[in-house]
Amino acid sequence: MNVRVVAIGGTVNPGSTTESALRYATRPLIEAGVQVSVFGGEYINALPHYRGAGYLPETGKELVAAVREADGILIAAPGYHGTVSGLVKNALDYLEDLARDDRPYLHGRAVGLIATAYGDQAAMGTLLTLRNIIHALRGWPTPMGVTARTYEGLFSPEGECLDDRIRMQLTLVGEQVLQGARAWSKAAAA
Ligand SMILES: Cc1cc2nc3c(=O)[nH]c(=O)nc-3n(C[C@H](O)[C@H](O)[C@H](O)COP(=O)(O)O)c2cc1C
Protein backbone atom coordinates (compact mmCIF):
# COMPACT_ATOMS: atom_id res chain seq x y z
CA MET A 1 0.00 0.00 0.00
CA ASN A 2 1.54 3.27 -1.16
CA VAL A 3 0.66 5.85 1.52
CA ARG A 4 1.41 9.47 0.70
CA VAL A 5 1.49 12.47 3.00
CA VAL A 6 2.08 16.15 2.26
CA ALA A 7 3.48 18.56 4.87
CA ILE A 8 2.84 22.29 4.40
CA GLY A 9 4.02 25.17 6.55
CA GLY A 10 6.70 27.39 7.95
CA THR A 11 7.63 31.06 7.84
CA VAL A 12 9.92 33.33 5.85
CA ASN A 13 12.63 32.86 8.49
CA PRO A 14 15.54 30.52 7.80
CA GLY A 15 15.57 28.15 10.77
CA SER A 16 11.84 28.66 11.32
CA THR A 17 10.70 26.84 14.44
CA THR A 18 7.32 26.33 12.75
CA GLU A 19 8.97 24.45 9.90
CA SER A 20 11.16 22.53 12.36
CA ALA A 21 7.99 21.46 14.20
CA LEU A 22 6.42 20.39 10.90
CA ARG A 23 9.46 18.35 9.93
CA TYR A 24 9.69 16.78 13.39
CA ALA A 25 6.07 15.63 13.11
CA THR A 26 6.90 13.82 9.84
CA ARG A 27 9.33 11.51 11.62
CA PRO A 28 6.85 8.73 12.54
CA LEU A 29 5.63 8.79 8.94
CA ILE A 30 9.09 8.59 7.43
CA GLU A 31 10.04 5.81 9.87
CA ALA A 32 6.98 3.88 8.69
CA GLY A 33 8.08 4.19 5.07
CA VAL A 34 5.48 6.75 4.05
CA GLN A 35 6.34 9.00 1.11
CA VAL A 36 6.35 12.52 2.59
CA SER A 37 6.54 15.68 0.43
CA VAL A 38 7.41 18.83 2.37
CA PHE A 39 6.38 22.30 1.14
CA GLY A 40 8.20 24.48 3.66
CA GLY A 41 8.74 28.19 4.16
CA GLU A 42 10.95 28.66 1.12
CA TYR A 43 8.36 27.12 -1.20
CA ILE A 44 5.29 28.86 0.18
CA ASN A 45 7.14 32.18 0.39
CA ALA A 46 7.65 32.01 -3.39
CA LEU A 47 3.93 31.59 -4.08
CA PRO A 48 2.24 34.79 -5.25
CA HIS A 49 -1.14 35.66 -3.84
CA TYR A 50 -3.53 33.04 -5.15
CA ARG A 51 -4.90 34.40 -8.47
CA GLY A 52 -3.24 37.76 -7.65
CA ALA A 53 -0.34 39.69 -9.18
CA GLY A 54 2.31 37.38 -10.64
CA TYR A 55 0.04 34.35 -10.52
CA LEU A 56 0.03 32.03 -13.55
CA PRO A 57 -2.18 28.98 -14.14
CA GLU A 58 0.78 26.66 -13.42
CA THR A 59 1.77 28.44 -10.21
CA GLY A 60 1.72 26.10 -7.22
CA LYS A 61 1.01 23.09 -9.41
CA GLU A 62 3.47 20.85 -7.48
CA LEU A 63 1.67 21.59 -4.23
CA VAL A 64 -1.78 21.03 -5.70
CA ALA A 65 -0.71 17.81 -7.46
CA ALA A 66 0.88 16.43 -4.29
CA VAL A 67 -2.19 17.16 -2.17
CA ARG A 68 -4.41 15.63 -4.88
CA GLU A 69 -2.56 12.31 -4.49
CA ALA A 70 -2.18 12.44 -0.70
CA ASP A 71 -3.91 10.32 1.95
CA GLY A 72 -2.77 12.56 4.80
CA ILE A 73 -1.69 16.15 5.36
CA LEU A 74 0.32 17.95 8.03
CA ILE A 75 -0.01 21.72 8.31
CA ALA A 76 2.04 24.03 10.54
CA ALA A 77 1.27 27.73 10.89
CA PRO A 78 2.57 30.43 13.19
CA GLY A 79 0.13 32.67 15.01
CA TYR A 80 0.45 36.19 13.65
CA HIS A 81 -1.69 38.71 15.52
CA GLY A 82 -3.57 35.85 17.07
CA THR A 83 -4.34 33.82 13.95
CA VAL A 84 -2.97 31.89 10.96
CA SER A 85 -0.21 33.79 9.12
CA GLY A 86 -1.04 35.13 5.67
CA LEU A 87 1.76 33.08 4.14
CA VAL A 88 0.28 29.75 5.22
CA LYS A 89 -3.27 30.86 4.46
CA ASN A 90 -2.21 31.82 0.94
CA ALA A 91 -0.74 28.34 0.40
CA LEU A 92 -4.01 26.82 1.58
CA ASP A 93 -5.92 29.07 -0.83
CA TYR A 94 -4.25 27.12 -3.66
CA LEU A 95 -6.28 24.07 -2.58
CA GLU A 96 -9.22 25.80 -4.26
CA ASP A 97 -7.80 24.15 -7.40
CA LEU A 98 -9.06 20.83 -5.97
CA ALA A 99 -12.68 22.03 -5.80
CA ARG A 100 -13.87 20.04 -8.81
CA ASP A 101 -11.93 16.84 -8.11
CA ASP A 102 -13.64 13.50 -7.42
CA ARG A 103 -12.19 13.92 -3.94
CA PRO A 104 -12.79 17.68 -3.59
CA TYR A 105 -10.48 19.77 -1.44
CA LEU A 106 -9.24 17.60 1.48
CA HIS A 107 -12.02 15.01 1.35
CA GLY A 108 -10.71 11.59 2.34
CA ARG A 109 -7.54 12.84 3.99
CA ALA A 110 -6.40 12.83 7.60
CA VAL A 111 -5.09 16.26 8.55
CA GLY A 112 -2.73 16.94 11.45
CA LEU A 113 -2.42 20.54 12.62
CA ILE A 114 0.40 22.39 14.36
CA ALA A 115 0.17 25.98 15.62
CA THR A 116 3.18 27.88 16.94
CA ALA A 117 3.32 31.25 18.71
CA TYR A 118 5.19 33.02 21.47
CA GLY A 119 2.12 32.81 23.69
CA ASP A 120 -0.49 30.18 24.49
CA GLN A 121 -3.39 32.41 23.48
CA ALA A 122 -2.19 32.92 19.90
CA ALA A 123 -1.17 29.25 19.57
CA MET A 124 -4.64 28.08 20.61
CA GLY A 125 -6.45 30.68 18.48
CA THR A 126 -4.37 29.67 15.48
CA LEU A 127 -5.03 25.96 16.03
CA LEU A 128 -8.79 26.52 16.21
CA THR A 129 -8.75 28.64 13.06
CA LEU A 130 -6.72 25.98 11.24
CA ARG A 131 -9.28 23.40 12.32
CA ASN A 132 -12.13 25.56 10.98
CA ILE A 133 -10.29 25.86 7.67
CA ILE A 134 -9.88 22.10 7.45
CA HIS A 135 -13.56 21.51 8.18
CA ALA A 136 -14.39 24.01 5.41
CA LEU A 137 -12.12 22.02 3.08
CA ARG A 138 -13.85 18.75 4.06
CA GLY A 139 -10.70 17.35 5.65
CA TRP A 140 -10.60 15.06 8.68
CA PRO A 141 -8.61 16.72 11.48
CA THR A 142 -6.81 14.27 13.74
CA PRO A 143 -7.82 14.24 17.42
CA MET A 144 -4.43 15.68 18.38
CA GLY A 145 -3.76 19.30 17.46
CA VAL A 146 -0.41 20.74 18.52
CA THR A 147 0.00 24.08 20.28
CA ALA A 148 3.67 24.92 20.62
CA ARG A 149 5.03 27.95 22.41
CA THR A 150 8.15 28.69 20.43
CA TYR A 151 11.46 30.17 21.51
CA GLU A 152 15.03 30.21 20.30
CA GLY A 153 16.64 26.88 21.05
CA LEU A 154 13.42 24.85 20.96
CA PHE A 155 15.06 22.74 18.25
CA SER A 156 18.70 21.71 18.00
CA PRO A 157 20.54 22.45 14.72
CA GLU A 158 19.94 18.76 13.85
CA GLY A 159 16.18 19.24 14.23
CA GLU A 160 15.78 17.52 17.60
CA CYS A 161 12.93 18.94 19.68
CA LEU A 162 14.31 19.89 23.09
CA ASP A 163 10.99 20.36 24.90
CA ASP A 164 9.34 17.18 26.25
CA ARG A 165 5.76 18.45 26.00
CA ILE A 166 6.09 19.68 22.43
CA ARG A 167 8.06 16.62 21.34
CA MET A 168 5.29 14.34 22.61
CA GLN A 169 2.61 16.39 20.84
CA LEU A 170 4.49 16.44 17.54
CA THR A 171 5.13 12.70 17.67
CA LEU A 172 1.50 11.99 18.47
CA VAL A 173 0.11 14.14 15.66
CA GLY A 174 2.50 12.44 13.23
CA GLU A 175 1.38 9.00 14.45
CA GLN A 176 -2.27 9.95 14.12
CA VAL A 177 -1.78 11.23 10.56
CA LEU A 178 -0.07 7.90 9.84
CA GLN A 179 -3.07 5.95 11.20
CA GLY A 180 -5.57 8.11 9.33
CA ALA A 181 -3.64 8.13 6.06
CA ARG A 182 -3.31 4.34 6.14
CA ALA A 183 -7.04 4.00 6.73
CA TRP A 184 -7.93 6.35 3.86
CA SER A 185 -5.43 4.71 1.54
CA LYS A 186 -6.96 1.30 2.31
CA ALA A 187 -10.49 2.64 1.82
CA ALA A 188 -9.53 4.10 -1.56
CA ALA A 189 -8.04 0.77 -2.68
CA ALA A 190 -11.12 -1.27 -1.57
C1 LIG B 1 3.83 39.70 12.26
C2 LIG B 1 3.95 38.82 13.47
C3 LIG B 1 2.89 38.74 14.35
C4 LIG B 1 2.97 37.94 15.48
N1 LIG B 1 1.92 37.89 16.33
C5 LIG B 1 1.98 37.11 17.44
C6 LIG B 1 0.88 37.07 18.33
O1 LIG B 1 -0.15 37.71 18.17
N2 LIG B 1 1.00 36.28 19.43
C7 LIG B 1 2.11 35.53 19.67
O2 LIG B 1 2.14 34.82 20.66
N3 LIG B 1 3.16 35.53 18.82
C8 LIG B 1 3.13 36.31 17.71
N4 LIG B 1 4.17 36.33 16.84
C9 LIG B 1 5.30 35.42 17.04
C10 LIG B 1 5.15 34.20 16.09
O3 LIG B 1 4.02 33.44 16.42
C11 LIG B 1 6.43 33.36 16.12
O4 LIG B 1 7.42 34.17 15.53
C12 LIG B 1 6.25 32.06 15.38
O5 LIG B 1 5.42 31.20 16.09
C13 LIG B 1 7.56 31.30 15.18
O6 LIG B 1 8.17 31.77 14.05
P1 LIG B 1 9.30 30.95 13.27
O7 LIG B 1 8.65 29.75 12.67
O8 LIG B 1 9.77 31.93 12.21
O9 LIG B 1 10.38 30.58 14.24
C14 LIG B 1 4.14 37.17 15.73
C15 LIG B 1 5.23 37.26 14.83
C16 LIG B 1 5.13 38.07 13.72
C17 LIG B 1 6.30 38.15 12.77
Side-chain angles (χ1 to χ4, degrees), residues 9-23 41 78 116 150 155:
T11 70
V12 297
N13 298 324
S16 157
T17 53
T18 309
E19 184 166 338
S20 297
L22 179 72
R23 289 182 183 274
T116 66
T150 53
F155 291 91

